[in-house]
Structure formats: structure tokens, C-alpha cells
């Protein structure tokens, strides 16, 4: 969609694609509605009016984005570019603007952003799962040794004629394995925090 504005901002010309894009005829835009102000979404009007004033002063030149309303009440995200109209004598006679419907592009950008967030979340979950698996593996060995030494001590005590040196030796090894299990946990926590 393209349209031309006077230096004061009055609509001078609009191409027929306005009907396809907005549902208004060229005649409606030129005589019945205040184009482009009446097709700018109510929530975007203040920012749009500021941009229009900037353009009319010649201090704008970049595209800007607003929601435009269709005649049927629907709306879409539009990207608007304006450029000065200069006649053959070099006089500024108004402004030309081009309007692009960027609704699908914005949806695709939002979908990509959401997918990136989900990917980061999944990556964090995988990392936590790997840490839990490593921690379980590291703890399993000393815990199995502790259980084994405990069973050995109980078996010796059940015989009734156990040598206290054998029980002491088994309990010392049990203590070493308990310390090893404690170190494994601390090392994994430090890695996770680092």
C-alpha cells in the first residue's frame, strides 16, 4: 500500500491496494475518513501521531511499526516507511509512505523467541539431569562399600566370637567410605555452582 501526504499531512493520493489491505475504497480514504489517523489502532495513535509530526518536520526517515485497523474491525501489524516528495524544481511537495503487513513476520519472530526460551529451559534441565546422574554414580560406590562393611560387622558380631580388631578395621574403612561419599557430594555442588 502506498499513499502521499501534503507537507501538512493531508492525504493527496492512495493506491487501490488500500481496499485489499484495509477494506476501504480509495474514495472513502480521500473523502470520508481521516486517513491515515482513523486507521491507526487506538492504543498506537499517540506514538503514530508523534512519528507523523517527526516525518512532516523531516526529522524522521526510519520505518516505524503500528497496528492498523481494517474496515471490518480486524487489525494487523504494519511497517511504515516514508520519504519526502520532491518536485522537478527541488521543492518539497509532501510525503510518500509505503505500508507493509508484517504480522506473519512478527508471529514468526515471536515463535522463534519462544522456541529459544524453551530450548534454554530444556538445556538447563538436561544439565541438571546429567549432574544428578553423575552425583548418583559417584555416591553409589562409597555407599555400596559402606553397606558391605556394615554387613560384615553385623556378621562378625552375630558369630559371637568376633575379634574387635576386625570390627575396628571394618568400621575405619566404613568411615573412610562415608567421608568419600561426603566429598563427592561437595565436589558436585561446587561444580554446579561454578
Amino acid at each position: 500500500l502506498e499513499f502521499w501526504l501534503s507537507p501538512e499531512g493531508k492525504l493527496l493520493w492512495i493506491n487501490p491496494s488500500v481496499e485489499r489491505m484495509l477494506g476501504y475504497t480509495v474514495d472513502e480514504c480521500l473523502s470520508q475518513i481521516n486517513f491515515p489517523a482513523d486507521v491507526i489502532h487506538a492504543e498506537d495513535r499517540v506514538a503514530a501521531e508523534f512519528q507523523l509530526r517527526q516525518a512532516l518536520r523531516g526529522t524522521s526517515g526510519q520505518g516505524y511499526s503500528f497496528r492498523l485497523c481494517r474496515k471490518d474491525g480486524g487489525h494487523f501489524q504494519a511497517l511504515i516507511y516514508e520519504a519526502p516528495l520532491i518536485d522537478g524544481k527541488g521543492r518539497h511537495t509532501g510525503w510518500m509512505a509505503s505500508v507493509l503487513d508484517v504480522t506473519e513476520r512478527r508471529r514468526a519472530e515471536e515463535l522463534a523467541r519462544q522456541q529459544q526460551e524453551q530450548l534454554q529451559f530444556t538445556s538447563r534441565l538436561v544439565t541438571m539431569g546429567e549432574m544428578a546422574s553423575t552425583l548418583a554414580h559417584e555416591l553409589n560406590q562409597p555407599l555400596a562399600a559402606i553397606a558391605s562393611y556394615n554387613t560384615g560387622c553385623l556378621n562378625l558380631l552375630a558369630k559371637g566370637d568376633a575379634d574387635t580388631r576386625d570390627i575396628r578395621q571394618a568400621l575405619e574403612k566404613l568411615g573412610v567410605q562415608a567421608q568419600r561419599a561426603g566429598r563427592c557430594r561437595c565436589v558436585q555442588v561446587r561444580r554446579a555452582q561454578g
Side-chain angles (χ1 to χ4, degrees):
L1 166 66
E2 291 183 1
F3 59 93
W4 297 351
L5 299 175
S6 71
E8 298 78 32
K10 182 180 182 327
L11 181 65
L12 301 173
W13 175 86
I14 189 164
N15 70 355
S17 64
V18 68
E19 193 161 353
R20 177 185 50 78
M21 191 175 269
L22 294 170
Y24 292 99
T25 65
V26 170
D27 288 338
E28 286 176 311
C29 292
L30 290 169
S31 61
Q32 294 178 19
I33 67 170
N34 180 17
F35 188 91
D38 286 351
V39 297
I40 296 170
H41 193 281
E43 293 174 7
D44 295 343
R45 282 197 184 130
V46 171
E49 288 171 6
F50 173 78
Q51 286 292 341
L52 182 58
R53 284 193 304 274
Q54 296 289 90
L56 293 175
R57 279 191 236 131
T59 55
S60 183
Q62 299 179 356
Y64 42 91
S65 182
F66 302 110
R67 288 171 291 173
L68 296 183
C69 298
R70 293 186 178 95
K71 187 176 183 178
D72 66 9
H75 64 274
F76 64 95
Q77 192 69 38
L79 188 58
I80 304 167
Y81 290 98
E82 81 280 330
L85 289 171
I86 308 296
D87 69 10
K89 296 179 182 177
R91 291 180 299 196
H92 179 239
T93 60
W95 296 93
M96 182 196 80
S98 295
V99 179
L100 303 170
D101 183 344
V102 294
T103 305
E104 289 307 315
R105 185 174 83 183
R106 294 289 167 91
R107 281 188 190 134
E109 289 170 354
E110 177 62 18
L111 179 61
R113 184 192 64 76
Q114 289 174 357
Q115 288 173 337
Q116 182 63 29
E117 286 179 1
Q118 184 63 37
L119 184 62
Q120 289 173 352
F121 176 74
T122 302
S123 176
R124 287 191 294 270
L125 284 179
V126 167
T127 300
M128 287 174 52
E130 289 172 351
M131 287 175 27
S133 176
T134 301
L135 181 60
H137 177 74
E138 291 292 322
L139 285 174
N140 191 41
Q141 291 175 342
L143 291 176
I146 290 169
S148 179
Y149 288 125
N150 182 60
T151 301
C153 288
L154 290 173
N155 288 341
L156 288 173
L157 290 172
K159 285 184 183 177
D161 61 345
D163 186 347
T164 57
R165 287 177 290 173
D166 290 338
I167 293 175
R168 177 182 297 279
Q169 190 177 24
L171 290 173
E172 286 172 355
K173 289 180 181 180
L174 190 144
V176 168
Q177 293 302 317
Q179 289 175 356
R180 179 178 166 208
R183 282 193 304 272
C184 289
R185 184 184 57 78
C186 291
V187 167
Q188 292 301 318
V189 169
R190 279 196 295 275
R191 283 184 194 158
Q193 292 172 345

